[in-house]
Amino acid sequence: LKPAAHALFKKLKDEELELLVQVVESRGAWESSCVLAPWGDPRGVKQGLPPQVLLCRLFRWPDLHQSHELKHFCYCAGGQGVCRDLAVLCCNPHHFSRLAVPENLPPPFLKASCGPSWPDEPQHPSTQLLDSLSQSCPDKLWSPLPDTGLSWSTIKDGCWCQLAYWEYRTRVGRLYAVHEASVNVFCELPWGSGFCLAQLPAAYRSCAVQRARGKIGRGLLLSREPGGVWAYNRSEHPIFVSSPTLSPPSACRLTVLKVLPGYSAKVFDYEWAGDRGGWQLPGEGPCDPHSIRISFAKGWGPCYSRQFITSCPCWLEVLLNQP
């Protein structure tokens, strides 16, 4: 890649080279500007890699091959056709994520074909938390705050989603309403804004929760884009995502998608969800078709020893407002 990189660097302006150095050295710790490169293949290079593929392969993913494996961050204004100048495009390697794909490896903890059964009687419906209800812990059941109102018919402030942060079965802090098109959720994010989990107080945190919180770091970016919601993993550890639209209609349980660091996935599809009401999942009870659940660093489901997301130390619930 050395000849191709040198040919590309010669085409960049001095200020763009300086910005590229800062971005690479900081590993994308802050939301930087676009690094615009002229469209076209570097001369004398047999591979003919597009500029964004070349720099992403050089500084982030050596196994990257094609541009269709990449996706622009929502705040990148220099994507092809976005900056209204088809002669240039953004090649900032930290303005891109790789598209996550489901894993096809056999699960190490396959205990049931359609998920575990509840030990007690079926749970009552809930549109906020569907798999964490427990008759043995009635004091920790989630209940809506009277001054927030989570019913979709009562949301009148224009937010497209609300975020609830959980540690095991206990919700920590108040709901966070999202009005902008995208939001950062993080514990440590210099030069950024959004939902800072480090500011949420808790009376007691176990060692497992503290270890998991230490892995959140820059966390993730949730973005409402045409047709659905995307999640970009900005941390140094995987995140695990589940939503009704990640599973095929005939699925016997919700799919849990593993999103590696630097990867992104479309975690909710508005068209697929439509205006359907709640529906049932065998072994898990009622499911809200307009919610997303995201666990930091720890997975759950048939592939893991943790069968339910309420067994994960740190996780996020995204309550979507129907468009």
Side-chain angles (χ1 to χ4, degrees), residues 72-144:
H72 282 276
F73 271 85
C74 55
Y75 54 77
C76 176
Q80 184 181 8
V82 178
C83 60
R84 299 183 180 181
D85 186 355
L86 296 179
V88 296
L89 79 163
C90 178
C91 62
N92 185 333
H94 287 279
H95 273 200
F96 293 88
S97 61
R98 291 188 73 172
L99 294 175
V101 294
E103 294 180 315
N104 296 321
L105 298 177
F109 294 103
L110 186 58
K111 296 181 179 180
S113 59
C114 287
S117 300
W118 287 102
D120 299 315
E121 298 179 359
Q123 308 298 325
H124 297 290
S126 169
T127 58
Q128 277 68 52
L129 185 59
L130 302 168
D131 63 354
S132 70
L133 300 180
S134 172
Q135 294 179 354
S136 61
C137 300
D139 58 323
K140 294 185 179 180
L141 296 184
W142 185 90
S143 60

Side-chain angles (χ1 to χ4, degrees), residues 15 17-30 32:
E15 56 269 21
L17 283 173
E18 293 177 0
L19 175 60
L20 181 61
V21 171
Q22 296 175 7
V23 169
V24 171
E25 289 183 345
S26 67
R27 301 174 64 186
W30 48 284
S32 55

Side-chain angles (χ1 to χ4, degrees), residues 189-213:
L189 183 63
W191 306 295
S193 61
F195 188 23
C196 181
L197 303 180
Q199 296 180 351
L200 299 180
Y204 169 77
R205 285 194 171 101
S206 65
C207 294
V209 171
Q210 294 180 19
R211 287 194 299 268
R213 284 172 60 88

Side-chain angles (χ1 to χ4, degrees), residues 168-169 298-300 305-315:
Y168 291 116
R169 294 180 181 272
K298 301 295 183 180
W300 82 95
S305 58
R306 294 168 293 273
Q307 293 297 294
F308 301 100
I309 194 171
T310 49
S311 299
C312 298
C314 301
W315 58 283

